[in-house]
Amino acid sequence: MNLAIPKILKLEDLSLIEQLTAKINNKTKPLGSLGQLESLAVKIGNILGTTTPRLTQPQLVVYAADHGIVKQGVSAFPSDVTWQMVQNFLADGAAVSVLARQHDVSLTVVDCGVKHVFEAHPRLIVKKLGDGTADSSSAVAMSAEVCQQALQNGVEIVRALPGNVLILGEMGIGNTSAASLLFSKLSGLDIEQCTGAGTGLDSEAVIHKTKVLRQALEFHHTVPVDKPLEVLAAMGGFEIATMVGSLLEAAASRRVILVDGFIVSAAILVASRIDSAVLDYCVFAHRSGERGHTILLEHLKGVPLLDLGLRLGEGSGAMIAWPLLQSACVILNEMASFEAAGVSRQSVS
Amino acid sequence: MNLAIPKILKLEDLSLIEQLTAKINNKTKPLGSLGQLESLAVKIGNILGTTTPRLTQPQLVVYAADHGIVKQGVSAFPSDVTWQMVQNFLADGAAVSVLARQHDVSLTVVDCGVKHVFEAHPRLIVKKLGDGTADSSSAVAMSAEVCQQALQNGVEIVRALPGNVLILGEMGIGNTSAASLLFSKLSGLDIEQCTGAGTGLDSEAVIHKTKVLRQALEFHHTVPVDKPLEVLAAMGGFEIATMVGSLLEAAASRRVILVDGFIVSAAILVASRIDSAVLDYCVFAHRSGERGHTILLEHLKGVPLLDLGLRLGEGSGAMIAWPLLQSACVILNEMASFEAAGVSRQSVS
């Protein structure tokens, strides 16, 4: 199997950015006084290729899978919580379920490789690649073929979705471990800087987790850092690999990508090593409380909208930030200009 | 005239806080993983006196007035912008207008003392105390009687409003000067630490503004710091004084108070010197880009939700933060517990 990586347009139309900036500067407010919301408005307009951007049919997709490395005691919760939480998403009981409902955003769950057989559900897509990955501390997490299939699945999932916004979430006990491994390998930073408490390890357990992850990095030390797909197959997760495909397709189809926390950011890192243009389409929702996310954001040159100490994943941070994207568009599209409102401009400077 | 200050209940029911915390801790998520949204949910529940808080009929009130001190060249915009922006609010063209509409929040403007006669409008309340304050660099901004009337107006405005949420905004060319003066006088901090660029002064103009404000503080140096109403009359604004009354009444009627930026925070500071219990009812929407707001927030022990470099005022930061308050309630009221969802609890810690 040979995946055709979707072709992403690098956003280099400076004249559009100038038009968007001029439009905002002519709104009835002091110059720059809406701070980060102004740069957000410019970014959204630039992604959608218009000075009158409308965010339509936002799609929240939660990618779920299990992780073999959990058997090494790297998580505070048992693997069973992955499938239990998938059922909780579908039963509208999880944080991200109630937040999506609050904002009338459509929620789809993808079983990318959860160790459980789910009953059919209208909002569940089954793209199962196995009953969880192999334990990456002593094996490749998945074969190159399965990794290719994951990317292909991710591409197809997004192709089937309407709208121009992709909001990504994830569920997978053990997936902060996979994210930390990918981050450390691809950035060259020591694994200690990239590893945190996940769902709630105490400091002793974080030391153990770091030790296991260091062992995994040593096991895979011959994997070349400039081969992101090989790195992904060696140490990633089914949900992360599927997300990478979805991210590439979302950027290729010129959608706004709203990035949640640490794990989605790790998927962005992998995708950006395949094609750095994907970053042009990303809006970073928040700085997670998970250790390592701050450095990962710096690495991606991502400026987050929120900094609320969230560390739940699922896409919950992205859903909380979502109305800010709508606010940015509303300001661009609906605010009056100085001329239209008959308001005097700055007199003294 | 003798104003009866509304009586505010100090929120000291620890058992309710414990019940709210226990309810959140039993939701299907790792302990504490929703960060600041969890403390927000506890705060809202505590204010409304229930473990199932519902935010009803949120009211955005924008308090507008002019400032005599503007003639000293302390603002980048002319005074005329105050009335022009009031018309812009009512014509639905201002930032806060479009943000309020986005969130279906009712917007009312109060003319507390704008130098302009407005035509009647269903969303305009006229409680005019004069054509702008006197120049506080060489006179009291308003008499003690007018200041009392402002507070009384503020109380009455809130008494007439439905719902359990008050969102405050303001408009008044020159009002960062009044806010800086109140902040410096009541905190004892040097005026330089309390003064910023307002609507967009350059660094030289900020130096001039600071000099004018220092002169005002010297002029009023005999006003005792432990008499907040005297301080308010000497150096405040009609819109700030009216807000102080509204804040006291909102807390007394046990509403959630959503605080915008620098000027509303200065009104909170004054109100808290009248009755510190008002702080129990405040949710701080954002850290403004206006110099001094960070220290003012620390002074009020206020932890802001957003930090987006906003410095527009009008209530715009509060409106952008508003959906986060709804998210906090949704999480408290709608998320499933571990038992209800059949999700396993933490195994390793």
Side-chain angles (χ1 to χ4, degrees):
Chain A
M1 175 185 159
N2 209 336
L3 172 74
I5 301 289
K7 177 110 191 76
I8 303 173
L9 175 71
K10 181 116 191 80
L11 295 178
E12 296 173 309
D13 179 359
L14 293 182
S15 73
L16 178 57
I17 292 176
E18 276 167 26
Q19 285 171 55
L20 283 158
T21 306
K23 187 171 177 187
I24 290 171
N25 288 349
N26 203 28
K27 299 294 188 183
T28 45
K29 58 171 192 53
L31 209 64
S33 61
L34 281 168
Q36 222 178 310
L37 219 61
E38 297 190 13
S39 40
L40 178 61
V42 171
K43 177 141 203 170
I44 293 171
N46 197 31
I47 293 170
L48 299 181
T50 169
T51 57
T52 54
R54 309 270 168 196
L55 301 168
T56 58
Q57 292 178 274
Q59 301 291 315
L60 170 64
V61 184
V62 181
Y63 301 78
D66 276 306
H67 293 261
I69 201 169
V70 168
K71 68 174 69 131
Q72 302 297 334
V74 292
S75 177
F77 281 84
S79 274
D80 276 347
V81 168
T82 306
W83 69 260
Q84 291 165 350
M85 284 303 296
V86 166
Q87 294 196 328
N88 198 18
F89 297 142
L90 298 172
D92 298 328
V96 81
S97 317
V98 302
L99 292 166
R101 187 168 53 204
Q102 175 192 349
H103 295 300
D104 200 19
V105 166
S106 164
L107 165 65
T108 303
V109 183
V110 185
D111 172 6
C112 305
V114 179
K115 208 169 3 175
H116 188 80
V117 179
F118 296 101
E119 282 179 37
H121 189 285
R123 289 187 286 121
L124 176 69
I125 298 175
V126 179
K127 292 279 187 183
K128 204 187 270 291
L129 298 156
D131 284 338
T133 48
D135 175 359
S136 64
S137 69
S138 58
V140 292
M142 68 193 89
S143 69
E145 292 70 31
V146 169
C147 188
Q148 288 274 335
Q149 183 63 55
L151 264 72
Q152 186 62 47
N153 290 348
V155 168
E156 285 166 9
I157 288 161
V158 170
R159 281 200 184 137
L161 291 176
N164 59 15
V165 186
L166 179 65
I167 308 174
L168 299 100
E170 42 58 47
M171 178 70 219
I173 295 299
N175 67 7
T176 60
S177 288
S180 295
L181 287 169
L182 296 170
F183 177 29
S184 175
K185 178 77 182 185
L186 291 173
S187 70
L189 290 168
D190 189 87
I191 188 65
E192 202 178 324
Q193 284 186 271
C194 307
T195 307
T199 47
L201 297 172
D202 63 19
S203 57
E204 205 175 316
V206 173
I207 291 170
H208 171 71
K209 175 178 174 183
T210 309
K211 197 177 133 199
V212 171
L213 300 188
R214 195 177 295 287
Q215 186 183 321
L217 283 164
E218 277 161 22
F219 183 84
H220 299 289
H221 78 276
T222 58
V223 177
V225 68
D226 61 349
K227 301 278 188 194
L229 292 182
E230 289 186 33
V231 174
L232 183 59
M235 294 181 281
F238 294 142
E239 81 282 45
I240 296 175
T242 307
M243 269 196 276
V244 170
S246 290
L247 287 164
L248 295 169
E249 174 59 25
S253 55
R254 218 166 165 162
R255 302 180 201 220
V256 175
I257 298 169
L258 183 54
V259 180
D260 191 38
F262 186 60
I263 291 121
V264 180
S265 297
I268 295 281
L269 178 62
V270 176
S272 73
R273 293 298 169 92
I274 297 168
D275 188 342
S276 66
V278 74
L279 293 175
D280 291 356
Y281 298 83
C282 293
V283 172
F284 291 88
H286 74 117
R287 180 193 313 281
S288 161
E290 173 71 3
R291 185 188 155 98
H293 195 224
T294 294
I295 322 175
L296 179 47
L297 283 171
E298 283 168 16
H299 206 82
L300 296 168
K301 297 188 177 55
V303 180
L305 293 170
L306 303 176
D307 190 359
L308 295 168
L310 308 170
R311 49 179 179 79
L312 172 56
E314 303 181 357
S316 54
M319 280 316 312
I320 292 167
W322 161 245
L324 275 65
L325 278 70
Q326 297 177 295
S327 291
C329 291
V330 151
I331 280 159
L332 198 53
N333 293 324
E334 300 178 22
M335 259 184 87
S337 66
F338 280 101
E339 288 70 23
V343 173
S344 310
R345 287 173 180 277
Q346 196 156 338
S347 58
V348 189
S349 82
Chain B
M1 178 184 155
N2 210 333
L3 172 75
I5 302 290
K7 175 112 193 74
I8 303 173
L9 175 71
K10 180 118 193 79
L11 296 177
E12 296 175 308
D13 180 358
L14 293 182
S15 74
L16 177 58
I17 292 176
E18 275 167 25
Q19 285 172 53
L20 284 157
T21 306
K23 187 171 176 187
I24 290 171
N25 288 349
N26 203 30
K27 300 293 186 183
T28 46
K29 60 172 190 52
L31 209 63
S33 61
L34 281 168
Q36 221 177 313
L37 219 61
E38 298 191 13
S39 39
L40 178 61
V42 171
K43 177 140 204 172
I44 294 171
N46 197 32
I47 293 170
L48 299 181
T50 169
T51 58
T52 54
R54 310 271 167 195
L55 301 168
T56 58
Q57 293 177 274
Q59 302 292 315
L60 171 63
V61 183
V62 181
Y63 301 78
D66 276 307
H67 293 261
I69 200 168
V70 167
K71 68 175 69 130
Q72 302 297 333
V74 293
S75 177
F77 282 83
S79 274
D80 275 347
V81 168
T82 306
W83 69 261
Q84 291 165 351
M85 284 302 297
V86 166
Q87 294 195 328
N88 198 18
F89 297 142
L90 297 172
D92 299 327
V96 80
S97 316
V98 302
L99 292 166
R101 187 168 52 206
Q102 176 193 349
H103 296 299
D104 199 20
V105 166
S106 164
L107 166 65
T108 303
V109 183
V110 185
D111 172 6
C112 305
V114 180
K115 209 170 0 178
H116 188 81
V117 179
F118 297 101
E119 280 178 41
H121 189 285
R123 289 188 285 120
L124 176 69
I125 298 175
V126 179
K127 293 279 187 184
K128 204 188 271 291
L129 297 157
D131 282 339
T133 48
D135 175 0
S136 64
S137 69
S138 59
V140 292
M142 67 193 89
S143 68
E145 292 68 32
V146 169
C147 187
Q148 287 274 334
Q149 184 64 54
L151 264 73
Q152 186 64 45
N153 291 348
V155 168
E156 284 167 10
I157 288 161
V158 170
R159 281 203 184 135
L161 291 175
N164 59 16
V165 186
L166 179 65
I167 308 175
L168 298 100
E170 43 57 49
M171 179 68 219
I173 295 301
N175 67 9
T176 59
S177 288
S180 294
L181 287 169
L182 295 170
F183 177 28
S184 175
K185 178 77 183 185
L186 292 173
S187 70
L189 291 167
D190 189 85
I191 188 66
E192 201 179 325
Q193 283 186 272
C194 307
T195 307
T199 47
L201 296 172
D202 64 19
S203 56
E204 204 174 318
V206 172
I207 291 169
H208 171 71
K209 175 177 174 183
T210 309
K211 197 177 132 198
V212 171
L213 299 188
R214 196 178 294 286
Q215 185 183 322
L217 283 164
E218 277 161 23
F219 183 83
H220 299 289
H221 78 277
T222 57
V223 177
V225 67
D226 61 348
K227 301 278 188 193
L229 293 182
E230 290 186 33
V231 174
L232 182 60
M235 294 182 279
F238 294 143
E239 80 282 45
I240 296 176
T242 307
M243 269 196 276
V244 171
S246 290
L247 287 164
L248 294 169
E249 175 59 24
S253 55
R254 218 167 164 160
R255 302 181 200 218
V256 175
I257 297 168
L258 183 54
V259 180
D260 191 39
F262 186 59
I263 291 122
V264 181
S265 298
I268 295 281
L269 177 61
V270 176
S272 73
R273 293 299 171 91
I274 297 168
D275 187 344
S276 66
V278 73
L279 293 174
D280 290 357
Y281 298 83
C282 292
V283 172
F284 291 87
H286 74 117
R287 179 193 314 279
S288 162
E290 172 72 2
R291 185 188 155 99
H293 195 224
T294 294
I295 322 175
L296 179 48
L297 284 171
E298 283 168 16
H299 206 83
L300 297 168
K301 297 188 175 56
V303 181
L305 292 169
L306 303 176
D307 191 359
L308 295 168
L310 308 170
R311 49 179 178 80
L312 172 55
E314 302 181 359
S316 56
M319 279 316 311
I320 292 167
W322 162 244
L324 277 64
L325 277 70
Q326 296 177 297
S327 291
C329 291
V330 151
I331 279 158
L332 197 54
N333 293 325
E334 300 179 22
M335 260 185 85
S337 65
F338 280 101
E339 289 69 23
V343 173
S344 309
R345 286 171 181 278
Q346 195 155 339
S347 58
V348 188
S349 83

